[in-house]
Amino acid sequence: MQYRSKVACIFLLGFFIDCINIFMSAIAFPAMSTLFQLTQVEAAWISNSYILGLCLIIPMSIGLANLFNTRRVLLGSTAIFALSSFMVGSADSFNSLVIWRFIQGLSGGLIIPVGQALTFNLYQGNDRVKISTLIMMTALIAPALSPMLGGWVIDISSWRWVFYSHLPMILLLLLLIYIWLKPEQLGTLQRPDYCGILLISLALSSLLICLTLLGQSQSTLSIAFAVFSTVLFSGAYIYYAKRHTSPVVELKLLKNIKLKVSIWVYLAVPGVFTGVNILSIFLLHDVLHLTAAQTGSFMLLYAFMALVAMLLVRRYYQQFTAKKLFYAAVIIHSLGILSLAWVESTQSVVWVSVAYLAMGFGGGLAANTAQSTALLDFPEQLLPQASVIWNINRQISFSLGSAVLLMLFYLLQQKLPQLQLLQLYHLIFIIAALIGSLPIFILYQLKD
C-alpha cells in the first residue's frame, strides 16, 4: 500500500469516528434526557460540548503538529480520546457527561484537520476531488448506520453502550497511527498564536452560551451579557487578525469566493439538517412514539440518497459546475425539510421517508460539492490554514444548526402557547426550510 493511501485510511477512519460521535449520540438524547431530567436545549449540550471542544482545539492543531510532529500529536490525542469515550459512557451526572464530552472533543479535534492537511498535501489536482468524494462517502456511512445501530443498542441495553461501542475503532486508529504514520511537520515551526487562540475560544464559547440562554429564556441581563461577550470577542479577534502577521485563523483566506460560498452552503444545509434531525428524533419518539431503532432507521434513506448524489458529483462535477450543483442542493434539501410539516401521525410516516430521501439527496449534493470546492484554489503552503478554517466551519455548523433551531423551538413554545406540540414542530420545520434556502441569494458570486 502506498504511503499516501495509509495516510488517507488514518484520516478517513478518524473522520468516521468523529461523525459517529455526533450522530449516534443524538439518537440517545431521549434516553439521556429521561435519566438526567433534561430539556431538549439542555440535551443539545451533549453534542455542543463535544463540538465546542473540537472547535477550540482545531485552531491549535497545525501549530501542535509542527511543534511535536504529526505522529506524536495524533498518538496522544487518540489515546486521550479513547479514555474520554469510556468516561462519557460511565458518567453518573449531566455535568460529568458534558465535561467528558468536552474533553472528548478536545482530543478528537486534532485528528481531522491534521489528517486532512496531510492527506490533501499528498493528493493534488483531480485526485483531490476523488479523495473529497471518499471523505463525504465516509461521512455518509456514519450517519446512515450509527443512528439505527445506536437505537438498537439503546432498545436492548443502555445508552451507555452507544459510547462504549466506539472503543474498538478508536484503538484500531491508535494502532494504525503507530504503525503507518511518519513523524513529520505540516509547515515551518512558528510560535503558537496564544492570544488568537484565546480570542477564538472565547468567541465560540460565548456564541454557544448565548444561543443556549435564549433557548432557555434566562434573564434579560444574562442574555444581554452573552450577546455582548460574543460581539466583543469576535470583534476583538477580527481586529487582532488584521494586525497579526500569522494569526491562528487567517481571515484573509475568506476572500476566496469558493471557500466563502462553500462555508455558507455548509452552514445552511448540513448545519441546518443537524438541528432538523434532532427535532425530528424528539417528534418521532415523544409524539409518534416510535422506538429508538425505528427512529434511527430513517437515516438509512438519507444516506442512500446522499450516496447517489455524491456519486453524481464525482462524475459530473466539471460538467455541471459547482454553482448549478449548489442551487439544486439547496432547493431539494429545503423541500425535504418542508415535507416534515405534513407529518400528523404514524399513518403519515411516509412524509418522514420523503423528507429524509430529499434531505439526503440535497445534503449529499451540498456536502460533496462544498468539500470539493472549498479548498480547490489553495496552494500547498496555504492549505493547512485553509483546512483549519474549513474544519472549524464544518464542526461549528453542526452545533449552530441544532442550537439555533432548538432556541427558536423554545421561544415559539413560550410566545405561542396556544399551539399544540405537533403544530409547533410543523412551524419550526417551515422556518428551518426557509433558513436552509438562504444561500440561494449568494450563489451568483460563483462563476460558471
Side-chain angles (χ1 to χ4, degrees), residues 151-418:
W152 177 74
V153 167
I154 293 168
D155 287 340
I156 65 171
S157 59
S158 166
W159 62 266
R160 299 183 186 278
W161 281 95
V162 167
F163 298 98
Y164 293 150
S165 63
H166 303 164
L167 291 174
M169 288 183 291
I170 300 171
L171 295 177
L172 174 61
L173 176 62
L174 188 66
L175 177 64
L176 294 181
I177 294 170
Y178 180 78
I179 295 174
W180 283 349
L181 204 60
K182 298 176 183 178
E184 55 186 309
Q185 295 179 339
L186 293 174
T188 57
L189 184 60
Q190 295 178 338
R191 182 177 180 273
D193 181 15
Y194 295 113
C195 183
I197 291 168
L198 177 62
L199 291 174
I200 282 283
S201 301
L202 291 172
L204 292 174
S205 302
S206 298
L207 177 60
L208 290 177
I209 292 171
C210 176
L211 292 171
T212 301
L213 292 177
L214 284 169
Q216 293 177 331
S217 293
Q218 297 293 326
S219 68
T220 305
L221 182 61
S222 300
I223 294 172
F225 180 76
V227 172
F228 174 77
S229 299
T230 303
V231 174
L232 175 65
F233 293 128
S234 300
Y237 181 77
I238 293 172
Y239 179 84
Y240 171 82
K242 288 181 179 179
R243 285 155 180 79
H244 196 277
T245 54
S246 182
V248 63
V249 176
E250 182 54 85
L251 298 179
K252 293 178 182 178
L253 298 183
L254 292 174
K255 294 180 181 179
N256 182 282
I257 297 299
K258 291 179 181 177
L259 176 60
K260 181 170 65 175
V261 171
S262 297
I263 284 174
W264 281 109
V265 170
Y266 214 94
L267 283 166
V269 181
V272 167
F273 170 74
T274 305
V276 168
N277 187 48
I278 290 175
L279 288 167
S280 176
I281 287 171
F282 277 103
L283 169 66
L284 297 175
H285 184 272
D286 295 341
V287 179
L288 302 188
H289 305 295
L290 300 184
T291 65
Q294 289 172 330
T295 301
S297 65
F298 288 105
M299 282 301 297
L300 287 174
L301 303 178
Y302 178 95
F304 173 75
M305 292 306 296
L307 176 60
V308 172
M310 289 181 180
L311 293 175
L312 289 174
V313 171
R314 181 179 182 179
R315 184 170 182 179
Y316 297 108
Y317 180 80
Q318 300 291 343
Q319 180 177 341
F320 286 107
T321 75
K323 185 176 182 178
K324 294 175 183 177
L325 291 170
F326 277 144
Y327 271 119
V330 170
I331 293 171
I332 293 171
H333 185 261
S334 294
L335 290 175
I337 297 174
L338 203 59
S339 301
L340 291 171
W342 271 263
V343 177
E344 298 284 349
S345 64
T346 53
Q347 303 301 317
S348 58
V349 168
V350 64
W351 283 110
V352 182
S353 301
V354 170
Y356 275 84
L357 287 169
M359 289 189 295
F361 190 78
L365 282 181
N368 200 20
T369 304
Q371 182 73 41
S372 300
T373 304
L375 307 179
L376 201 58
D377 288 344
F378 293 102
E380 183 175 341
Q381 63 269 25
L382 292 178
L383 189 59
Q385 279 286 357
S387 179
V388 166
I389 292 176
W390 177 245
N391 280 288
I392 288 176
N393 170 74
R394 190 179 69 83
Q395 299 295 350
I396 203 66
S397 294
F398 299 141
S399 188
L400 284 179
S402 58
V404 169
L405 290 182
L406 288 169
M407 175 197 71
L408 291 174
F409 181 85
Y410 272 87
L411 288 177
L412 290 172
Q413 191 175 41
Q414 291 160 12
K415 299 298 181 181
L416 301 172
Q418 69 275 16

Side-chain angles (χ1 to χ4, degrees), residues 27-173:
I27 203 69
F29 281 0
M32 288 186 283
S33 298
T34 301
L35 176 63
F36 296 119
Q37 297 181 337
L38 309 175
T39 65
Q40 281 97 327
V41 172
E42 291 170 332
W45 271 100
I46 300 168
S47 283
N48 287 347
S49 58
Y50 174 77
I51 294 173
L52 180 60
L54 287 172
C55 292
L56 297 187
I57 200 66
I58 284 173
M60 303 171 61
S61 58
I62 304 302
L64 289 172
N66 289 332
L67 183 62
F68 298 106
N69 80 50
T70 54
R71 187 171 182 267
R72 288 178 180 173
V73 165
L74 292 181
L75 281 173
S77 62
T78 305
I80 297 173
F81 190 78
L83 173 64
S84 57
S85 297
F86 176 80
M87 294 305 297
V88 168
S90 305
D92 57 1
S93 69
F94 177 62
N95 289 337
S96 63
L97 177 65
V98 169
I99 290 171
W100 281 110
R101 281 288 279 175
F102 177 73
I103 295 172
Q104 192 182 37
L106 282 176
S107 55
L110 293 171
I111 299 171
I112 309 306
V114 174
Q116 178 169 288
L118 279 173
T119 303
F120 275 28
N121 280 341
L122 296 171
Y123 287 83
Q124 301 288 333
N126 192 49
D127 286 342
R128 191 175 292 177
V129 176
K130 293 179 180 178
I131 198 67
S132 294
T133 301
L134 288 177
I135 292 170
M136 300 318 300
M137 289 176 68
T138 302
L140 271 185
I141 296 172
L145 299 179
S146 56
M148 185 179 67
L149 292 177
W152 177 74
V153 167
I154 293 168
D155 287 340
I156 65 171
S157 59
S158 166
W159 62 266
R160 299 183 186 278
W161 281 95
V162 167
F163 298 98
Y164 293 150
S165 63
H166 303 164
L167 291 174
M169 288 183 291
I170 300 171
L171 295 177
L172 174 61
L173 176 62

Side-chain angles (χ1 to χ4, degrees), residues 4-49:
R4 73 172 190 172
S5 299
K6 294 178 180 179
V7 172
C9 287
I10 289 171
F11 168 57
L12 292 173
L13 179 57
F15 185 66
F16 179 78
I17 294 171
D18 172 50
C19 293
I20 283 179
N21 269 284
I22 295 173
F23 287 96
M24 185 178 280
S25 63
I27 203 69
F29 281 0
M32 288 186 283
S33 298
T34 301
L35 176 63
F36 296 119
Q37 297 181 337
L38 309 175
T39 65
Q40 281 97 327
V41 172
E42 291 170 332
W45 271 100
I46 300 168
S47 283
N48 287 347
S49 58

